[in-house]
């Protein structure tokens, strides 16, 4: 055996251990040329740094939105101003006049309406916010079951001109409420008065209708077709033999309902 090993060394051939080590080294050189799995897997430190940078960006965005969110942007300044003007009857003292309201010092009055409630509104849904405000005010007064002189400017343009002349504004917002001839305001004022209970005190003394009252003649539309021209706005003049404009109805061929309108 010793002679065989010596012969192997003499012939220039390596021992088995030497051959195994050379093969192992060769395999290492082959695999070292390929990409390491670490190149495809993110290191823990790098992953942690990316999370920290993302947290920083989120924190900056939160600071921006929190700084821009001020109480003034959340609360409506007009509502606060109206709330300050609304005072209880007890705080006004015995000299308080219920029908002067104390919160509206505009001095605007609607002549000939000292015994009623007048609401200028529209029944058209062209502008959603305006229609919703008109509907809300209408429902508030109907909840008290009081008689209201509803003047729909979409049904009769003469009411629009009348409101513009009273307020002195070309583009008056709707709705507008007058109580006993005094100008009260729009939807926001009526809503505040209703929530604080002031509206119930102001409406004290007005006649009340039966619950669920609906006009049989107009169906609470407040207008009916003209009986003179049947809503056509034209009448035949027998003396002259021509058609003439009906003078009893408005531009839509309608007249006010005589059963439910004051």
């Amino acid at each position: 055996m010793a002679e065989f090993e010596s012969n192997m060394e003499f012939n220039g051939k390596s021992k088995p251990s030497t051959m195994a080590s050379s093969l192992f080294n060769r395999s290492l050189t082959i695999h070292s040329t390929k990409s390491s799995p670490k190149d495809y897997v993110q290191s823990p430190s790098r992953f942690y740094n990316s999370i920290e940078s993302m947290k920083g960006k989120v924190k900056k965005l939160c600071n921006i939105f929190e700084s821009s969110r001020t109480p003034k942007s959340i609360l409506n300044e007009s509502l606060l101003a109206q709330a300050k003007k609304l005072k209880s009857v007890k705080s006004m003292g015995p000299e308080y006049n219920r029908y002067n309201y104390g919160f509206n010092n505009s001095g605007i009055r609607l002549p000939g309406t000292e015994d009623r409630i007048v609401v200028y509104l529209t029944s058209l849904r062209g502008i959603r916010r305006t229609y919703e405000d008109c509907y809300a005010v209408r429902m508030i007064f109907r909840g008290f079951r009081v008689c209201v002189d509803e003047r729909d400017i979409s049904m009769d343009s003469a009411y629009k001109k009348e409101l513009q002349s009273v307020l002195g504004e070309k583009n008056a917002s709707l709705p507008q409420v007058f109580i006993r001839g005094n100008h009260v305001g729009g939807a926001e004022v009526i809503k505040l008065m209703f929530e604080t209970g002031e509206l119930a005190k102001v409406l004290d003394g007005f006649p009340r209708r039966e619950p669920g009252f609906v006009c049989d003649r107009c169906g609470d539309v407040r207008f009916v077709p003209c009986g003179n021209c049947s809503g056509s706005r034209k009448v035949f003049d027998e003396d002259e033999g021509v058609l003439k404009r009906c003078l009893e109805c408005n531009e839509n061929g309608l007249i006010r309902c005589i059963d439910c309108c004051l």
Side-chain angles (χ1 to χ4, degrees), residues 53-251:
S53 62
M54 189 179 296
K55 286 182 179 179
K57 293 179 181 179
V58 173
K59 189 174 182 180
K60 288 181 181 179
L61 290 174
C62 291
N63 292 334
I64 292 172
F65 285 108
E66 287 177 359
S67 61
S68 61
R69 189 182 180 187
T70 57
K72 290 184 179 179
S73 62
I74 299 174
L75 298 176
N76 192 339
E77 295 181 0
S78 62
L79 290 179
L80 291 176
Q82 295 293 347
K84 290 180 181 179
K85 292 180 181 180
L86 289 175
K87 298 180 181 179
S88 62
V89 177
K90 294 181 180 179
S91 63
M92 298 295 290
E95 68 279 3
Y96 172 71
N97 186 355
R98 177 171 295 178
Y99 303 125
N100 288 331
Y101 310 123
F103 55 85
N104 191 345
N105 298 321
S106 60
I108 299 175
R109 292 185 57 82
L110 185 63
T113 60
E114 289 76 11
D115 59 342
R116 67 186 69 178
I117 304 166
V118 179
V119 180
Y120 290 89
L121 48 81
T122 178
S123 58
L124 292 180
R125 304 190 183 190
I127 302 176
R128 181 176 179 180
R129 178 63 184 275
T130 301
Y131 172 78
E132 289 178 352
D133 288 342
C134 294
Y135 181 81
V137 170
R138 193 179 186 186
M139 291 299 104
I140 288 174
F141 282 110
R142 287 199 176 189
F144 288 101
R145 297 188 289 110
V146 292
C147 299
V148 179
D149 185 1
E150 297 179 0
R151 302 186 178 184
D152 193 342
I153 67 171
S154 61
M155 303 290 280
D156 194 339
S157 61
Y159 291 139
K160 182 178 181 180
K161 297 177 182 178
E162 182 180 87
L163 180 62
Q164 289 175 349
S165 63
V166 171
L167 297 180
E169 300 178 6
K170 225 175 203 184
N171 298 318
S173 61
L174 296 174
Q176 293 295 330
V177 180
F178 293 81
I179 301 179
R180 296 189 184 273
N182 296 297
H183 179 230
V184 179
E188 300 300 335
V189 177
I190 298 300
K191 289 178 183 178
L192 280 172
M193 293 178 64
F194 175 68
E195 292 173 359
T196 57
E198 197 71 19
L199 185 61
K201 299 172 184 177
V202 172
L203 298 180
D204 187 19
F206 282 97
R208 311 282 170 159
R209 289 179 172 175
E210 294 295 328
F213 171 80
V214 178
C215 180
D216 295 332
R217 183 180 177 87
C218 67
D220 283 348
V221 180
R222 305 291 188 256
F223 288 90
V224 294
C226 177
N228 188 34
C229 63
S230 300
S232 64
R233 301 168 51 199
K234 300 290 184 180
V235 291
F236 182 75
D237 191 346
E238 296 180 356
D239 295 336
E240 299 182 6
V242 294
L243 290 173
K244 288 187 177 182
R245 171 74 168 85
C246 179
L247 301 178
E248 297 183 7
C249 58
N250 59 17
E251 71 278 6

Side-chain angles (χ1 to χ4, degrees), residues 9-20:
E9 291 178 357
F10 178 79
N11 294 332
K13 296 181 179 179
S14 60
K15 295 180 180 181
S17 61
T18 307
M19 294 176 65

